[in-house]
Amino acid sequence: MTETPHRPTVTSPPLFARRWTVADIPDQTGRTAVITGANSGLGLRTAEALAAKGAHVLLACRNELKAAAALEQVSAAAAGPKPEVLPLDLADLASIRRAADHLDVRGTPIDILVNNAGVMALPRHQRTADGFDAQFGTNHLGHYALTGSLLRLLLRAPEPRVVTVSSIAAWGGMINWLDPNWRRVYFRWPAYSQSKLANLLFTAELHRRARAAGANLTAVAAHPGLSATNLYNSAPEKGAAAALAAVQQRMLFSLAQSDAKGALPQLYAATTPGLAGNSYCGPAFEAFGYPRRTIRNPFAYSRFQARRLWELSEKLTGVTYGWS
């Protein structure tokens, strides 16, 4: 009787990760991590944690003053190479090209890219430097363009990983295919939810394309649940709307977990060995808790929508992904 050959099985971490904390992050010595929006909130906590484990951390930030203050904090936590600031404005394709060119000249492989930066529910319609809706342009198109522009450096790393940060708001997301940049009429929360669903579709399609190209790149996503960060800011509001927004903000912060706890899912996604491509990590109880793999908006499983969004992103940004 012919013996059936042994086939190794591919395993992922268990669905429920019990009390996973920064203490569980493996040693990151010799690895380079680029984190967008690392000047505050989740990005700053992620930068501190990775630097404390020995990674060379690059804080990709738009605001120079906030970036300088964050650099001091991350430097104080660093156990390895001195962290650096990488000037980057995700709402400006020219800025993304400059940042990528700067890193390309250095030629250092990028082991971890955390697409963390974002804007949320802007009360008045704003546009990026290239005319995109500010939420769609910053949260999705900017990260699509950045990842593609850094792809060559990512593929130089032995086990590169791209972590894109979504939100529980993605559950209410739909892609407005007729007007993805909200030129006709603007609704702040649907626009935000669309951008967060786009993060999940981007991750799924990046995973599929990397696998088709035979590239050893792992694309995963994460969300922080309900976390106390400055992403929700009542300052742009005026008059009675500002007062209402301030009350909502205080209520949100009273219920939310800390930014350090909120950063755990993206740290889990960035560093857990053997995590399967296209995994989605979030708090155990969705809004709060220790990180685990979780489920997502059913639209995020659509291969058709993921491919269509990729093609739209390629057309709008002019960035194509070269896998060879």
Side-chain angles (χ1 to χ4, degrees), residues 200-233:
L200 296 178
L201 291 169
F202 165 67
T203 296
E205 188 66 11
L206 178 60
H207 164 66
R208 278 192 285 271
R209 290 179 181 245
R211 189 168 56 181
N216 191 31
L217 181 146
T218 301
V220 293
H223 79 82
L226 191 60
S227 301
T229 73
N230 62 5
L231 189 62
Y232 187 86
N233 189 347

Side-chain angles (χ1 to χ4, degrees), residues 47-125:
E48 288 176 329
L50 292 178
K53 290 292 184 173
H56 179 208
V57 174
L58 280 73
L59 290 73
C61 306
R62 176 178 57 86
N63 187 303
E64 293 183 12
L65 291 177
K66 291 182 179 180
L71 182 62
E72 288 189 16
Q73 287 184 243
V74 179
S75 296
K82 181 176 175 58
E84 300 177 62
V85 170
L86 176 68
L88 172 69
D89 183 355
L90 287 164
D92 185 347
L93 291 175
S95 175
I96 293 171
R97 286 192 294 269
R98 286 192 297 270
D101 288 344
H102 173 75
L103 294 180
D104 202 48
V105 168
R106 294 170 55 162
T108 304
I110 297 173
D111 299 275
I112 302 172
L113 172 61
V114 183
N115 291 325
N116 163 82
V119 293
M120 184 175 78
L122 300 174
R124 288 174 296 282
H125 198 196

Side-chain angles (χ1 to χ4, degrees), residues 159-200:
E159 295 181 336
R161 191 172 296 192
V162 176
V163 181
T164 300
V165 181
S166 183
S167 165
I168 54 176
W171 278 104
M174 295 179 64
I175 304 298
N176 181 4
W177 293 112
L178 294 178
D179 187 19
N181 280 299
W182 304 89
R183 299 185 186 280
R184 297 183 181 88
V185 61
Y186 174 70
F187 298 103
R188 58 192 291 191
W189 284 107
Y192 178 65
S193 294
Q194 171 187 260
S195 72
K196 295 290 99 180
L197 172 60
N199 292 150
L200 296 178

